[in-house]
């Protein structure tokens, strides 16, 4: 509950705090209400329609809590600094496409080298709350904004508009964004306004009259649909590298610039000196030297 309060204080908003923590805004409200109840019903936050501020007593409370949490992090770091054994449970959350293609082989090699490790892997596209959920490492396309977290850049990848060679032979290659209206677009279901193609926060603005006609919440499915000649989509190069080399897929830039994506490994700061985490990150960086 206190970490939720600190997130609200640092962001100045219940909604931004919820986004930072990877939880719903209603959960933030419930936690603050529970904390106020625990503190004998004394209000912590004064709220308006577009503002919030701490009461004077709550400001003193937050300062003390921050000091205590900082001391706790230091104490945990001391304990973990002696964690030089590569054994026991290691919990990893990964993006499905990236994890299955590159990180699982790296983890198999890691386990062969250190058989006393117990690997627990989860594959999800969504942002995870590393502090709230039981993960030691989370590999994501955006760095964690949570307090007390470290984020290591593993790899920078390009986003490319692509289609199968068979699709291109049948429908041609669009020369510009306007010509996309003559093609089938495949997009991530998180896109709400249907005016952009979106992948992990990056957006490609579409021309008037251009709309995606296939949506899915799984990038592996987008990749599969492109491979099945269903249409055109925006995909990271690590998913299509082999298809481009074999000639199964083609890419086209249409005269536009698309910002690259950076792949991050996020972990709690108190695990910075953990041998399990440190060695695993080395294996990940090696696997992503594409």
């Amino acid at each position: 509950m206190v970490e939720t309060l600190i997130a609200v204080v640092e962001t100045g908003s219940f909604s931004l705090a919820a986004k930072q923590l990877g939880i719903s805004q209603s959960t933030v409200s419930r936690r603050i209400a529970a904390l106020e109840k625990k503190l004998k019903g004394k209000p912590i936050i004064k709220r308006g329609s577009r503002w919030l501020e701490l009461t004077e007593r709550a400001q003193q409370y937050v300062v003390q809590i921050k000091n205590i949490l900082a001391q706790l992090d230091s104490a945990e770091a001391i304990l973990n600094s002696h964690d030089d054994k590569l054994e026991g449970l290691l919990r990893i959350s990964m993006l499905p496409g990236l994890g299955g293609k590159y990180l699982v082989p790296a983890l198999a090699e890691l386990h062969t080298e250190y058989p006393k490790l117990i690997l627990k892997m989860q594959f999800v596209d969504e942002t995870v709350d590393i502090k709230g959920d039981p993960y030691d490492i989370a590999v994501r396309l955006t760095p964690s904004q949570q307090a007390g977290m470290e984020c290591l850049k593993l790899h920078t990848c390009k986003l490319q508009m692509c289609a199968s060679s068979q699709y291109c032979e049948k429908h041609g290659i669009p020369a510009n964004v306007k010509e996309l209206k003559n093609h089938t677009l495949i997009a991530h279901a998180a896109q709400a306004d249907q005016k952009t193609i979106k992948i992990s926060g990056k957006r490609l603005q579409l021309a008037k009259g251009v709309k995606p006609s296939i949506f899915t919440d799984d990038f592996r499915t987008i990749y599969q649909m492109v491979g099945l000649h269903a249409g055109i989509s925006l995909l990271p190069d690590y998913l299509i590298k082999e298809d481009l080399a074999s000639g199964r897929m083609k890419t086209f830039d249409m005269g536009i610039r698309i910002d690259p994506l950076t792949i991050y490994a996020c972990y709690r700061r108190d695990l910075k000196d953990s041998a399990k985490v440190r060695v695993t990150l080395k294996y990940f960086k090696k696997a992503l030297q594409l």
Side-chain angles (χ1 to χ4, degrees):
M1 289 188 290
V2 293
E3 289 182 342
T4 302
L5 173 61
I6 290 174
V8 171
V9 172
E10 290 179 343
T11 61
S13 162
F14 275 43
S15 60
L16 291 178
K19 185 176 181 180
Q20 176 177 300
L21 296 171
I23 58 179
S24 67
Q25 186 172 338
S26 61
T27 299
V28 172
S29 298
R30 285 197 301 272
R31 289 181 179 179
I32 295 300
L35 186 58
E36 289 178 333
K37 184 177 180 180
K38 184 178 179 181
L39 299 174
K40 299 180 180 180
K42 295 179 179 179
I44 295 176
I45 298 174
K46 299 176 182 177
R47 279 164 267 191
S49 59
R50 294 187 179 181
W51 59 272
L52 61 82
E53 64 179 20
L54 290 176
T55 62
E56 183 176 351
R57 185 168 296 180
Q59 291 176 13
Q60 298 173 5
Y61 175 76
V62 168
V63 170
Q64 292 296 322
I65 288 297
K66 284 185 174 181
N67 290 336
I68 291 171
L69 290 177
Q71 292 173 11
L72 182 60
D73 284 343
S74 298
E76 288 178 346
I78 292 172
L79 288 175
N80 284 301
S81 65
H82 300 290
D83 181 15
D84 56 358
K85 295 181 180 180
L86 275 89
E87 60 183 42
L89 182 62
L90 182 64
R91 301 155 298 186
I92 307 156
S93 174
M94 296 172 281
L95 297 163
L98 178 73
K101 199 173 183 76
Y102 296 103
L103 302 186
V104 168
L107 289 169
E109 183 181 349
L110 175 69
H111 193 269
T112 299
E113 184 71 20
Y114 304 99
K116 290 187 178 181
L117 278 176
I118 301 171
L119 301 178
K120 183 177 180 180
M121 296 174 275
Q122 184 181 46
F123 299 88
V124 291
D125 276 317
E126 298 84 4
T127 301
V128 296
D129 177 7
I130 304 178
K131 285 193 171 184
D133 294 321
Y135 303 117
D136 297 308
I137 301 172
V139 179
R140 287 289 172 271
L141 292 174
T142 52
S144 172
Q145 300 299 318
Q146 291 179 268
M149 300 300 299
E150 294 283 341
C151 294
L152 173 70
K153 290 184 180 180
L154 295 177
H155 178 68
T156 299
C157 62
K158 293 181 180 179
L159 288 172
Q160 301 187 73
M161 291 296 293
C162 62
S164 70
S165 297
Q166 184 173 324
Y167 178 93
C168 293
E169 289 173 6
K170 185 176 181 179
H171 301 281
I173 296 175
N176 52 55
V177 177
K178 290 182 179 180
E179 290 189 7
L180 287 174
K181 65 182 179 182
N182 300 319
H183 294 268
T184 299
L185 289 183
I186 307 168
H188 197 279
Q191 173 189 322
D193 57 16
Q194 297 192 8
K195 294 179 181 178
T196 59
I197 292 179
K198 177 184 177 184
I199 177 171
S200 297
K202 307 295 182 181
R203 290 182 178 269
L204 170 62
Q205 189 70 37
L206 299 179
K208 185 177 180 180
V210 178
K211 288 185 178 180
S213 55
I214 299 176
F215 293 87
T216 174
D217 61 356
D218 181 6
F219 288 119
R220 292 170 300 177
T221 304
I222 295 177
Y223 167 76
Q224 186 177 9
M225 292 292 286
V226 171
L228 291 170
H229 328 302
I232 294 172
S233 193
L234 185 65
L235 285 170
D237 57 3
Y238 63 77
L239 277 180
I240 60 176
K241 180 180 179 182
E242 294 174 4
D243 298 278
L244 295 177
S246 68
R248 291 191 296 268
M249 289 188 186
K250 293 183 178 180
T251 62
F252 31 89
D253 59 23
M254 299 179 295
I256 59 175
R257 180 182 180 275
I258 303 173
D259 292 335
L261 290 176
T262 301
I263 301 168
Y264 296 88
C266 305
Y267 55 94
R268 298 195 319 273
R269 189 167 294 149
D270 57 276
L271 294 177
K272 187 174 183 178
D273 295 318
S274 166
K276 288 186 291 187
V277 170
R278 187 172 63 250
V279 172
T280 300
L281 295 179
K282 287 182 179 179
Y283 272 75
F284 281 177
K285 288 204 74 170
K286 180 181 177 182
L288 292 174
Q289 290 177 355
L290 309 177

